Amino acid sequence: MMSPRALLPCLQGLLLLLGSFAQACPPPCQCYDGTKVFCSGEEIWGIPEGLPGNATQLFFVETSLTAVGSGAFGNCSSLARLVFLNNPGLALEAGAFGERSSLAELEVSGSNLSALSSAAFGSLLELRNLFLTFSALRALEPGLFNRTPSLEALHLQGNQIETLPPTVFSPLRELRVLDLSHNPLAPVPDRLFDPLALLQVLKLSNISLTRLPLGIFRPLRSLKELSLDRNALADLPPGAFSGLSRLQRLELQHNALTSLRSCIFSCLSNLDVLNLEGNRLSALPAGLLRGTPKLGQLFAASNRLETIPEGIFSNLLQLQTIVLSHNQLTHLPAGAFRDLFNLTTLQLDHNNLTTLAGDTFHNLLSLEVLGLAGNRLQALPEGIFDSNDYLFGVALKDNPWVCDCRLASLAGWIRNWSAPLNSQTFCTSPDHLKGWALPALPQEQLVCLAAPGPADSSLSPGEAETARAPCTYNDPEGTVQLACDTAACHRLTVHLPPQGDSTGRGLAYNRNWVLNSSCGMVRVWVTIRAEPGGTAREEEAGSHNPCSEP
Ligand SMILES: *[C@@H]1O[C@H](CO)[C@@H](O)[C@H](O)[C@H]1NC(C)=O
Ligand SMILES: *[C@@H]1O[C@H](CO)[C@@H](O)[C@H](O)[C@H]1NC(C)=O
Ligand SMILES: *[C@@H]1O[C@H](CO)[C@@H](O)[C@H](O)[C@H]1NC(C)=O
Ligand SMILES: *[C@@H]1O[C@H](CO)[C@@H](O)[C@H](O)[C@H]1NC(C)=O
Ligand SMILES: *[C@@H]1O[C@H](CO)[C@@H](O)[C@H](O)[C@H]1NC(C)=O
Ligand SMILES: *[C@@H]1O[C@H](CO)[C@@H](O)[C@H](O)[C@H]1NC(C)=O
Ligand SMILES: *[C@@H]1O[C@H](CO)[C@@H](O)[C@H](O)[C@H]1NC(C)=O
Ligand SMILES: *[C@@H]1O[C@H](CO)[C@@H](O)[C@H](O)[C@H]1NC(C)=O
């Protein structure tokens, strides 16, 4: 939440820009254009006398103001905007604003104000915006808004309001925005919102809600935005959102939801943004999004999802963002994201995915950002991003990548298109590539360990000899010969000298070979120990064949 203090520097900067010549102005205030008056400083204990009579905007910021009594602004007959920011001792007495019909906006933020008399506002018939925020209000008196019938925006966030009189909002027939967030408010009276037929934005974040009264939102036929995040909702009653056909944004993040009814969102035919992040959902019903064809953004990170139902997104052709990070997804159903042509962002990071089908991202023609970090992927199918022409941000780190031939195409793709995001994406195996970053891997290192192929009996000895010729290697001492078979590249033959050794000390051999053949380059490590008189034992022979099809 934005603290009023954070606004202060912006405000001062703005006023300084507005005009630098101060007119006759009661010190220590500063006046701009004769209409904007800015008073700040701990030495201000009361409303200064001699404020310009034609002031339209009045700011009191970080002063020692205490009581603002009746008639305090008596000479300012065209006051339109009155702002009190961070005046800790401020109290508003009855009639502080008189019958000021010109006042359109009143803001009191960051004060110690704990109570407001129902007469505090007098009769502010033209007041449209009222901010009473981040103060210490404990309650609202019934009738507080009886003489402010033009209010369009009422901001009460960040107070200590625990209860609301059930009819307190009844006079506010013009209200478009109501923010009650960050108050220890629950429970909310059942009919509290009934009079607010024009309301478009309702913010009820962090008000200790544990349940939604049945039908509480039903009268809000104009509602476009509903925030219920950071409460303790464990369940949404059937029909909780029925009637909200204009709703575009629904925030349910950081509650305690364990499951959702299949038709809970079915009336939300205009829903664009749905946030379910940070709940305890272990599954989503297959038909959950069937009634929300205009959904553009779905946030469902930090739940307990193990998979998603087949076809859950199938009618959502306008989806642009899907966030499923920090769940426990072990697999995705076939065609999970089929035909989501408009999808630009898909976050699947920090799940338990071990494999992905080669067509997982097919037809995601707009995809730009894909998060796969923090899964259990060892490899991805070749060509998995072939239809994603706009993809540039693929995050792959924290997966147990096996850097062999199966990763060759992915590594090439990453190097070309998404290297910066993957400077911390490391190989987990094989051992000698552990810790290499994928974009930095030399392509020729991505080879598969030779699988022992069948003896090649189809070649005559002569042919075999020729075939072998391009890559036969002898060490200078002539003790060991390595030969690779160009017709079957995966085969590597090691010829050891005849058994036994004249010195009787046994054969020890340790050497690095670089083999260059028509198959490509390959580096081979051979370590051999042979006991005198015993059988030769090959302790370690690592080889990496450049041919991707063993
Ligand atoms: C406001 O009043 C002052 C004199 O009191 C005058 O100089 C100024 O022009 C007035 N400004 C407007 C916008 O009427
Ligand atoms: C209002 O104006 C009168 C006459 O100019 C002045 O005496 C009085 O102090 C002013 N009151 C305030 C609250 O500024
Ligand atoms: C805020 O109000 C409380 C009681 O309402 C009072 O004890 C405290 O001194 C006030 N703080 C300031 C800074 O005025
Ligand atoms: C929730 O509201 C309380 C006041 O009721 C406030 O102290 C707290 O910081 C708020 N929490 C969040 C996460 O905004
Ligand atoms: C996912 O991985 C986490 C952490 O390794 C593990 O605790 C959890 O049981 C796994 N969940 C599933 C469904 O496999
Ligand atoms: C979604 O895609 C369709 C067709 O591919 C296109 O007509 C439409 O404008 C797109 N919508 C958005 C919001 O990008
Ligand atoms: C990477 O870029 C190089 C040179 O531009 C190109 O030859 C190669 O095909 C690209 N590889 C991939 C996987 O895009
Ligand atoms: C490997 O062989 C190719 C031709 O077969 C040659 O162009 C290349 O320079 C050789 N590389 C090394 C390191 O010997």
Side-chain angles (χ1 to χ4, degrees):
M1 66 177 137
M2 182 92 159
S3 83
R5 191 169 294 270
L7 291 172
L8 191 55
C10 317
L11 188 63
Q12 279 167 330
L14 178 71
L15 288 171
L16 288 174
L17 278 176
L18 284 175
S20 43
F21 63 100
Q23 306 191 347
C25 198
C29 301
Q30 291 173 307
C31 303
Y32 302 90
D33 303 337
T35 60
K36 300 175 192 72
V37 183
F38 183 82
C39 306
S40 178
E42 286 175 3
E43 68 274 28
I44 300 178
W45 291 88
I47 304 295
E49 297 214 341
L51 293 169
N54 55 9
T56 56
Q57 302 192 31
L58 214 45
F59 299 84
F60 293 93
V61 179
E62 296 187 348
T63 69
S64 306
L65 275 181
T66 50
V68 174
S70 93
F73 307 102
N75 287 358
C76 304
S77 55
S78 33
L79 205 55
R81 184 172 179 212
L82 183 52
V83 177
F84 298 92
L85 285 184
N86 296 342
N87 301 279
L90 185 69
L92 298 176
E93 294 177 357
F97 312 110
E99 306 279 310
R100 201 157 298 281
S101 60
S102 59
L103 199 63
E105 179 169 325
L106 173 60
E107 172 163 4
V108 179
S109 196
S111 79
N112 202 14
L113 204 62
S114 61
L116 262 183
S117 121
S118 64
F121 302 134
S123 189
L124 301 176
L125 297 180
E126 294 301 320
L127 192 67
R128 303 200 188 278
N129 298 318
L130 176 58
F131 296 79
L132 297 168
T133 58
F134 304 106
S135 294
L137 286 178
R138 299 198 164 278
L140 300 183
E141 287 194 17
L144 182 64
F145 304 114
N146 280 2
R147 302 177 75 192
T148 57
S150 306
L151 268 190
E152 291 175 2
L154 175 56
H155 292 265
L156 294 165
Q157 64 266 35
N159 282 289
Q160 299 297 324
I161 303 171
E162 288 179 13
T163 56
L164 288 171
T167 57
V168 69
F169 301 132
S170 298
L172 303 181
R173 305 274 166 175
E174 300 294 323
L175 203 64
R176 306 295 202 275
V177 177
L178 175 59
D179 192 343
L180 293 169
S181 301
H182 311 301
N183 280 291
L185 194 62
V188 176
D190 290 13
R191 319 285 311 263
L192 185 66
F193 306 124
D194 279 13
L196 307 179
L198 298 184
L199 200 68
Q200 296 182 356
V201 177
L202 177 57
K203 295 192 181 246
L204 302 174
S205 312
N206 184 25
I207 59 166
S208 318
L209 269 182
T210 53
R211 59 170 205 98
L212 292 180
L214 222 56
I216 187 168
F217 304 126
R218 198 161 296 156
L220 303 178
R221 305 210 163 268
S222 309
L223 204 63
K224 291 183 176 163
E225 210 178 308
L226 176 58
S227 304
L228 290 164
D229 53 291
R230 286 163 229 278
N231 283 297
L233 298 172
D235 183 41
L236 300 171
F241 308 117
S242 67
L244 303 185
S245 61
R246 303 226 172 115
L247 200 69
Q248 294 172 0
R249 185 180 189 95
L250 178 55
E251 311 215 38
L252 288 163
Q253 66 270 30
H254 304 295
N255 274 286
L257 299 171
T258 52
S259 66
L260 293 171
R261 288 178 174 76
S262 175
C263 54
I264 190 74
F265 305 131
S266 63
C267 302
L268 306 180
S269 53
N270 278 299
L271 196 66
D272 175 20
V273 179
L274 174 60
N275 197 331
L276 296 168
E277 184 178 315
N279 278 284
R280 298 175 192 164
L281 300 168
S282 53
L284 299 177
L288 185 70
L289 305 174
R290 211 153 280 158
T292 60
K294 296 200 179 156
L295 197 65
Q297 309 198 43
L298 173 66
F299 301 94
S302 302
N303 277 285
R304 298 170 183 176
L305 302 174
E306 294 180 14
T307 186
I308 49 174
E310 197 167 343
I312 185 169
F313 305 127
S314 62
N315 58 327
L316 306 179
L317 299 184
Q318 302 196 15
L319 257 185
Q320 293 173 306
T321 302
I322 300 176
V323 181
L324 292 166
S325 314
H326 293 278
N327 276 285
Q328 300 188 13
L329 298 175
T330 53
H331 66 282
L332 299 168
F337 310 114
R338 186 174 296 148
D339 297 339
L340 298 179
F341 302 117
N342 289 328
L343 196 69
T344 56
T345 302
L346 177 56
Q347 299 290 9
L348 296 168
D349 55 288
H350 300 93
N351 277 289
N352 295 19
L353 296 170
T354 50
T355 55
L356 292 177
D359 63 356
T360 307
F361 311 118
H362 271 198
N363 265 343
L364 303 186
L365 303 179
S366 308
L367 194 64
E368 294 173 2
V369 174
L370 173 64
L372 289 170
N375 277 284
R376 298 175 183 182
L377 299 165
Q378 301 189 330
L380 290 180
E382 193 169 341
I384 190 165
F385 303 135
D386 277 0
S387 63
N388 313 122
D389 287 351
Y390 294 98
L391 190 59
F392 64 88
V394 180
L396 297 174
K397 70 175 197 165
D398 299 330
N399 277 287
W401 297 113
V402 176
C403 293
D404 64 16
C405 56
R406 287 166 301 166
L407 210 74
S409 120
L410 179 68
W413 194 95
I414 290 296
R415 196 180 312 119
N416 282 10
W417 304 111
S418 215
L421 260 185
N422 289 290
S423 61
Q424 304 292 307
T425 300
F426 301 118
C427 299
T428 298
S429 65
D431 276 353
H432 70 280
L433 292 178
K434 202 178 263 177
W436 276 74
L438 251 57
L441 272 178
Q443 198 72 17
E444 65 271 13
Q445 297 276 12
L446 293 171
V447 293
C448 285
L449 211 62
D456 195 340
S457 53
S458 64
L459 294 173
S460 70
E463 281 170 331
E465 223 34 61
T466 352
R468 206 171 278 144
C471 55
T472 302
Y473 292 81
N474 291 299
D475 63 348
E477 301 82 48
T479 46
V480 175
Q481 185 191 62
L482 292 181
C484 68
D485 184 334
T486 50
C489 289
H490 55 273
R491 286 181 56 199
L492 186 68
T493 321
V494 181
H495 295 280
L496 296 177
Q499 287 229 344
D501 178 8
S502 51
T503 65
R505 280 179 288 127
L507 172 70
Y509 186 79
N510 191 353
R511 195 181 162 95
N512 236 333
W513 300 71
V514 177
L515 310 186
N516 194 7
S517 77
S518 56
C519 302
M521 276 235 298
V522 61
R523 187 181 290 278
V524 180
W525 291 262
V526 180
T527 304
I528 295 166
R529 304 227 188 295
E531 309 302 330
T535 45
R537 188 155 62 92
E538 193 176 325
E539 276 204 341
E540 183 190 324
S543 110
H544 303 283
N545 195 303
C547 308
S548 50
E549 313 290 359

